[in-house]
Amino acid sequence: MIPNDRYQRHSLIDWFSQDDVRGARIGVVGAGAVGNEVLKCLALLGVGALDIFDLDRVEVHNLTRSVLFRESDIGRNKAECAAERVRELDPSIAVTAHVGDFFRVLDFDRLQDYAAIICCVDNFEARIRLNLICKLWRVNFINTGVDSRNAVVDTFPFALNPEAGCYECALPPSVYQRLSQRYSCGGLKRIAFVEKRIPTTVITASLAGSLAASRALRLGPGAPDQNAGRIFVDSITGSSTRTELPQRADCPVCSQLKAPVRIARVDRLQAALENLADAEVTLPEPLILSFKCKSCGRGDGHDTPLFWRASDHDSRLTDCAGCGAEGAVDIEIKDRIPAQTLALIGDRPLPLPFVATGSETGTRVFVLRWES
Amino acid sequence: MADVKFIVRTADQTRKAEVEMDRTSIGSDIIQAAVDNWALPADTDYALVNVTTGKSLVPMQLLDENFVKPGDVLEVQPVLVAGGW
């Protein structure tokens, strides 16, 4: 039961609609420093429902930037811990913790229930995936990023404007070059790669979090700004810039997957692909199709593709399990394949939640029954 | 093609210069020049925005009159990837 006067101060603000805020369901991916600040703001504002996604556990160094975590929480899952604290802040909020990689635990049937999904992760790969999902499902997408000095909040109002620029429209090529350094064979994580970590403080996290919460709640019907945009704030000087992010003709997402998007749930992918002939299918993450050792010839997948998820493997796969030759195995990894090749999946389950195929006239998305 | 004269600065505004470049130059030329001349961290990705017009410039964008006018201020901003792990 909500005490009637909990939102009394909000009711005094002439432009603030508590009913609209109460009616919003927001997805928050990442419950680290920025995620904590986003959740704090949305909880105190009295949002209706929150879904929190995180796979990490609370560590002691998180405590300097995470308002929802305590020393006694060390070792607990961040999503579960944050959800518990949100309930303490406002017991009337319907909050759910989703433990695991959002890509594996997201309910694709409920995506369009979200007023917005706020991305508070710390890597490009997750942002790229979440951007693709939000673009295809027409869910408003808010991206956040911080360093020790600056905060950035990108708004992609896909629900309002399917032609809005997307996160990859604004991504410089150097990011892809940097990502490729992290991988070998175009998709296997390098076992010896040391990830650079960017230190941050709660100052930039709170700037990003509060701006992101504000942006997420201003994307309802009739929102004045229907184009993608970026707010960049320097926490030391207080200066900020607001920039429009237009759609880019050569964007890897927007150039391939055009509106309108038709989404269908399928039980058998092979049957769904029958009418697609030679269409190219976009995979939301790379798959290993085949491998062969240059030294001994041992291999697999050349007649019937393997369809292994590349993220389940690392660069050790290039060492031959047969003859022991290091780095001798050629691995075929793809994130776009012809429909006929994908149809070779037969009755086997594809380890992906969906695939998409685009043409000049629109995009078709096939959501698969899939268990992680 | 004619040159265009404009201002380039870093996001923290500690570095600022008036530069003149050919209209056939592209956004990434400006970013690279800023990284090299101002010794900006090379392990960071950068985006370029025209703060006068409020538009971002994609790296392969030519500096034509639709995107950069004489006297415009272009800002080199880091692409922020951390979420506060």
Side-chain angles (χ1 to χ4, degrees), chain A residues 33 127 146 174 178 198 241 244, chain B residues 43 45 54 77 81-82 84-85:
Chain A
R127 286 182 171 92
V146 290
S174 59
R178 204 173 298 283
I198 314 286
T241 58
E244 191 179 317
Chain B
D43 58 354
D45 300 294
Q77 297 180 344
V81 69
W85 90 101

Side-chain angles (χ1 to χ4, degrees), chain A residues 21-87:
Chain A
V21 174
R22 184 49 104 191
R25 171 181 288 274
I26 307 281
V28 179
V29 179
V34 178
N36 263 247
E37 292 295 324
V38 166
L39 291 164
K40 175 200 76 180
C41 290
L42 293 173
L44 294 177
L45 286 166
V47 74
L50 284 168
D51 283 345
I52 308 170
F53 300 82
D54 206 310
L55 48 71
D56 275 344
R57 295 184 178 279
V58 178
E59 296 178 61
V60 66
H61 59 77
N62 298 136
L63 299 178
T64 55
R65 286 153 294 132
S66 306
V67 68
L68 302 177
F69 301 154
R70 307 285 177 269
E71 277 193 24
S72 56
D73 296 324
I74 291 168
R76 296 182 62 198
N77 173 264
K78 288 180 178 176
E80 289 180 334
C81 190
E84 188 178 299
R85 295 286 137 67
V86 166
R87 284 187 207 103

Side-chain angles (χ1 to χ4, degrees), chain A residues 32-34 62 65 121-124 127 145-147 149-152 169 172-175 178 196-198 200 232 234 241 243-246 248, chain B residues 9 11-14 31 41-51 54-60 67 75 77-85:
Chain A
V34 178
N62 298 136
R65 286 153 294 132
V121 301
D122 61 0
N123 63 85
F124 286 117
R127 286 182 171 92
V146 290
D147 62 16
R149 174 168 185 156
N150 305 297
V152 72
C169 288
S174 59
V175 170
R178 204 173 298 283
K196 184 192 173 195
R197 290 296 203 172
I198 314 286
T200 65
F232 186 99
D234 181 333
T241 58
T243 312
E244 191 179 317
L245 302 173
R248 205 180 78 202
Chain B
R9 72 184 189 201
D12 61 11
Q13 299 185 35
T14 57
I31 292 172
D43 58 354
T44 300
D45 300 294
Y46 296 93
L48 189 64
V49 302
N50 185 331
V51 296
K55 305 260 187 196
S56 67
L57 272 84
V58 297
M60 301 313 289
F67 292 92
E75 189 167 288
Q77 297 180 344
V79 178
L80 304 183
V81 69
W85 90 101

Side-chain angles (χ1 to χ4, degrees), chain B:
Chain B
M1 197 178 272
D3 288 355
V4 58
K5 202 182 281 188
F6 51 91
I7 309 288
V8 180
R9 72 184 189 201
T10 53
D12 61 11
Q13 299 185 35
T14 57
R15 307 295 180 95
K16 190 173 182 179
E18 185 179 53
V19 297
E20 190 168 5
M21 292 182 82
D22 194 283
R23 288 277 190 193
T24 58
S25 302
I26 57 176
S28 60
D29 294 335
I30 298 173
I31 292 172
Q32 194 58 54
V35 170
D36 293 343
N37 288 302
W38 292 334
L40 302 181
D43 58 354
T44 300
D45 300 294
Y46 296 93
L48 189 64
V49 302
N50 185 331
V51 296
T52 305
T53 63
K55 305 260 187 196
S56 67
L57 272 84
V58 297
M60 301 313 289
Q61 175 65 54
L62 289 170
L63 303 184
D64 67 36
E65 289 184 5
N66 293 326
F67 292 92
V68 183
K69 292 189 166 36
D72 281 358
V73 178
L74 307 190
E75 189 167 288
V76 178
Q77 297 180 344
V79 178
L80 304 183
V81 69
W85 90 101

